[in-house]
Amino acid sequence: MDLSQDLLDRLLAESLRARSFAHAPYSRYQVGVALLDEQGRIHIGANVENASYPQGWCAEPSALTAMLMAGGKRAVAALVTGPGPDIITPCGGCRQKLREFCEPDELIIIAGDPGGIRQRWTLAELLPHSFGPSHLNF
């Protein structure tokens, strides 16, 4: 999918806004995601830490839940932001969660931070030879 500069700017702004909702009292590493669905709607999510560390969750599942609750079925692009300057990408588990709602060679993953957009990939580049719904023959 070709993402216009205007749409990229909106995704970046929403991802940075999502970071402000992060609950990260332990790591202080706020992550935001702006997820674009097949209908052109943007859904945001933030990481939520928990004192019992394994019970927290990443920003991507939050955005996917928002997408599903709004009636979205397919993710088209995900812009992930952290504090910078290091580039942030979805963790392995989140890559697999995103895989459930896309075709890996069509989902665009974009890394950003308060300084702007840094890099982009397809999910297939970040999660090669992935396992997905089609493997289950349902």
Side-chain angles (χ1 to χ4, degrees), residues 49-68:
E49 295 178 349
N50 189 290
S52 177
Y53 292 150
Q55 299 306 312
W57 61 88
C58 299
E60 293 85 350
S62 297
L64 284 167
T65 299
M67 179 186 82
L68 291 170

Side-chain angles (χ1 to χ4, degrees), residues 18-89:
R19 287 186 67 233
S20 70
F21 297 111
H23 177 73
Y26 309 107
S27 72
R28 300 202 182 353
Y29 195 86
Q30 297 173 312
V31 177
V33 173
L35 188 66
L36 181 68
D37 73 14
E38 79 281 6
Q39 298 176 48
R41 298 175 302 177
I42 298 172
H43 310 278
I44 63 172
N47 59 318
V48 179
E49 295 178 349
N50 189 290
S52 177
Y53 292 150
Q55 299 306 312
W57 61 88
C58 299
E60 293 85 350
S62 297
L64 284 167
T65 299
M67 179 186 82
L68 291 170
M69 296 302 293
K73 304 285 185 221
R74 190 170 52 88
V76 175
L79 199 152
V80 183
T81 53
D86 295 325
I87 291 175
I88 182 174
T89 64

Side-chain angles (χ1 to χ4, degrees), residues 1-16 34 36 42 76-81 108-113 116-121:
M1 169 179 227
D2 186 34
L3 302 173
S4 70
Q5 188 59 51
D6 180 59
L7 181 54
L8 287 169
D9 291 343
R10 286 180 35 225
L11 287 167
L12 178 62
E14 286 299 294
S15 183
L16 291 170
L36 181 68
I42 298 172
V76 175
L79 199 152
V80 183
T81 53
I108 305 298
I109 305 291
I110 305 158
D113 61 34
I117 291 174
R118 306 285 303 280
Q119 198 163 339
R120 65 196 282 174
W121 310 263

